[in-house]
Amino acid sequence: MATSYAQQMLDALSSGQLEQAQQFFSKALRRDSDEMIYSLAEELYALGFLNQSRRAYKKLLEKYPKEDELRTALADIAIEDGEIDEAQNYLAQIQPDSASYLQALLVKADIYQSEGLNESAEYSLLQAEKLAPNEAIIQFALAEFYFANQFYQKAVGRYRGLLLQGKREVSRVDLVARIGVAYAQIGQYDHAIGYLEQIKPETMTLDTRFQLAILYQENHREDDAIRLFNEILDVDAKYTSVYPLLGQAYAQINQFEDAYRTYQAGLAQDETNGQLYRLAGLAAEKLGDLTTAETYYKQGLALDEGDVAILVALTDLFFKQHRLAEVIAQLTTAISDDVVDSQFYWSLARAYQAMGDTEKAAENWANAAPLFQENSAFLQDLIDWYHEQGQLEDEITALKQYLFLSPDDIDMQMRLEDLAY
């Protein structure tokens, strides 16, 4: 049997003979059967040859104008090409009594969602569900819609419904993994872990392993988290999101040398990661190497002088070394450059107070006080400031707020009683 022109075109494409493939394509449209042209159109779409796929579908639509399936295919191609108006025009021609109407609704939902019209997208999907309530692809489309739009509880219900139908995977999406991630997003960590642990290690993607490792870490299963994070890096050392979390997992079990080495390995892969410079600095501090810690902080600030977290870490280090003038210089420069954080006012207040500059200390305590009313450590410092300045009423007010947060602090209770009576 002679090979069809369609097959010869595909063979030419696979061997990189594009000019010859185009010649076979023209012949296929003229001489191959309609069934062969339709199969070719599908194959070309899958391979990304959208223009040729469009031409094949259009030729068939001219011959079979009542075949709405061709219109949905052409609408899909138009969406891929960003031709939304053209796609909508094809879909508008498909009537509710058409066998392709369900598919048209799904394509419409894709269009609406791509344009941010989520209510319209959901309406189209729910219309499709009314017409075919047990159709798995529609339930999956609804689940994916809710998942993408962070309606995780609704998404879980749809995914679980598919599992009950015996569907473990739809369109190459592992439904168990989706449910696990959805539960994680709404804080139901035990459920999330339970689902994700059902996935066989050999089929678990790196992203799913990453999510499960985070859940282990948040549930104080540091050893499990460390194992998974390291497995990810064994497969892909450039999965740089792992390094900060793996280092923190080591730090949580007081393995600071391992944490430090992890941050260094991360910086070897990504020298532009400010978070890793800060964490490496903190680890170096834990190991007693304050000079190296300062170097890491300054390298991080060289990348982004407005990195608030690094500025706080660096000035905290200056405090430990009683370098108060440098604390003030660093933070006042940042504020003058419109880099502002509430922590800056607290740090400046402490620094000016320690240097005896009462006026500037008072100004910064006043700036910081409204911002830290739920922070017991700050309130302790503020109480000491008020006591030092003889501001009795303010000291009593701050003590009452502190005891509201820490009612079991006997020393502070006695201090308040002494002042009040």
Side-chain angles (χ1 to χ4, degrees):
M1 180 182 290
T3 303
S4 67
Y5 290 112
Q7 186 58 55
Q8 291 180 74
M9 179 200 182
L10 294 174
D11 291 341
L13 285 175
S14 66
S15 60
Q17 300 173 335
L18 299 183
E19 185 174 344
Q20 193 170 11
Q22 184 59 44
Q23 293 173 0
F24 284 130
F25 177 64
S26 297
K27 291 180 179 179
L29 293 184
R30 294 196 305 271
R31 302 182 186 177
D32 279 347
S33 68
D34 296 335
E35 291 81 3
M36 192 64 67
I37 294 172
Y38 182 79
S39 296
L40 178 62
E42 288 185 311
E43 192 74 29
L44 290 171
Y45 178 79
L47 292 171
F49 291 92
L50 300 183
N51 287 336
Q52 289 81 1
S53 180
R54 178 189 280 110
R55 284 182 59 191
Y57 280 127
K58 280 188 172 181
K59 178 176 177 60
L60 292 172
L61 186 60
E62 289 172 3
K63 189 172 182 180
Y64 304 101
K66 294 183 179 180
E67 291 295 331
D68 287 331
E69 184 178 354
L70 300 171
R71 290 186 173 87
T72 60
L74 285 164
D76 278 329
I77 294 172
I79 292 171
E80 290 284 341
D81 273 345
E83 301 290 341
I84 302 302
D85 289 342
E86 180 182 340
Q88 289 177 328
N89 181 56
Y90 281 121
L91 297 174
Q93 298 174 45
I94 302 174
Q95 300 302 312
D97 59 355
S98 170
S100 297
Y101 189 63
L102 275 176
Q103 182 61 29
L105 287 171
L106 295 178
V107 178
K108 279 184 181 180
D110 285 341
I111 293 174
Y112 290 137
Q113 197 166 358
S114 70
E115 294 186 320
L117 301 173
N118 290 331
E119 289 185 7
S120 297
E122 183 182 19
Y123 179 75
S124 291
L125 292 172
L126 291 174
Q127 273 190 304
E129 183 184 35
K130 286 181 180 179
L131 294 173
N134 298 317
E135 186 66 44
I137 196 64
I138 295 172
Q139 293 301 317
F140 177 70
L142 275 163
E144 290 285 276
F145 170 82
Y146 290 132
F147 186 89
N149 287 281
Q150 301 179 15
F151 297 118
Y152 296 113
Q153 198 68 58
K154 287 185 175 182
V156 164
R158 304 286 178 171
Y159 289 130
R160 291 183 65 183
L162 289 166
L163 285 179
L164 291 173
Q165 293 179 26
K167 307 287 185 182
R168 173 61 187 261
E169 185 177 289
V170 179
S171 298
R172 299 184 179 179
V173 172
D174 188 325
L175 304 184
V176 169
R178 277 284 200 268
I179 293 172
V181 173
Y183 273 131
Q185 294 296 328
I186 57 179
Q188 295 188 22
Y189 299 134
D190 289 339
H191 287 319
I193 290 172
Y195 272 95
L196 294 179
E197 286 182 335
Q198 295 178 38
I199 304 170
K200 294 179 180 179
E202 60 269 21
T203 63
M204 188 179 290
T205 67
L206 292 185
D207 288 343
T208 303
R209 289 188 190 191
F210 183 67
Q211 181 68 58
L212 181 55
I214 292 173
L215 290 169
Y216 283 148
Q217 189 170 1
E218 291 178 345
N219 281 266
H220 304 293
R221 294 172 59 178
E222 286 85 0
D223 290 340
D224 289 323
I226 288 167
R227 172 180 54 80
L228 272 186
F229 283 138
N230 277 312
E231 286 178 6
I232 294 169
L233 294 179
D234 287 342
V235 176
D236 183 4
K238 294 188 180 299
Y239 201 122
T240 54
S241 300
V242 167
Y243 293 101
L245 295 171
L246 174 57
Q248 288 169 328
Y250 280 127
Q252 285 168 351
I253 56 175
N254 298 317
Q255 294 184 16
F256 297 111
E257 290 185 358
D258 289 323
Y260 186 42
R261 283 193 291 269
T262 298
Y263 301 138
Q264 288 177 310
L267 286 169
Q269 297 292 337
D270 182 7
E271 295 179 346
T272 64
N273 191 320
Q275 183 187 21
L276 285 174
Y277 284 108
R278 179 178 62 83
L279 292 171
L282 292 172
E285 284 193 58
K286 284 288 187 180
L287 296 172
D289 190 347
L290 302 188
T291 300
T292 299
E294 183 175 343
T295 298
Y296 276 120
Y297 295 145
K298 288 184 174 178
Q299 287 176 330
L301 288 175
L303 291 174
D304 180 6
E305 60 186 14
D307 190 316
V308 168
I310 297 179
L311 281 166
V312 170
L314 178 60
T315 51
D316 283 348
L317 175 61
F318 289 160
F319 264 115
K320 292 175 184 176
Q321 299 173 315
H322 305 288
R323 295 158 64 181
L324 301 177
E326 290 178 76
V327 172
I328 292 168
Q330 194 80 48
L331 295 180
T332 53
T333 298
I335 292 171
S336 67
D337 290 337
D338 294 325
V339 179
V340 182
D341 184 79
S342 54
Q343 179 69 42
F344 294 178
Y345 297 117
W346 183 4
S347 297
L348 284 169
R350 291 170 57 211
Y352 282 124
Q353 181 180 353
M355 293 183 72
D357 191 334
T358 303
E359 182 179 347
K360 289 185 177 178
E363 178 185 336
N364 282 283
W365 282 119
N367 286 333
L371 307 173
F372 289 97
Q373 289 301 301
E374 304 300 319
N375 186 312
S376 57
F378 171 81
L379 289 170
Q380 284 181 312
D381 286 348
L382 183 63
I383 288 164
D384 289 340
W385 163 254
Y386 286 145
H387 183 78
E388 182 181 307
Q389 299 304 305
Q391 297 175 230
L392 179 60
E393 291 185 6
D394 290 329
E395 184 180 354
I396 290 173
T397 300
L399 274 165
K400 289 179 178 178
Q401 177 62 20
Y402 173 85
L403 287 169
F404 176 77
L405 300 174
S406 305
D408 297 328
D409 191 324
I410 302 301
D411 290 336
M412 285 297 196
Q413 289 179 13
M414 294 176 62
R415 183 169 174 174
L416 178 59
E417 290 173 6
D418 289 342
L419 290 175
Y421 302 103

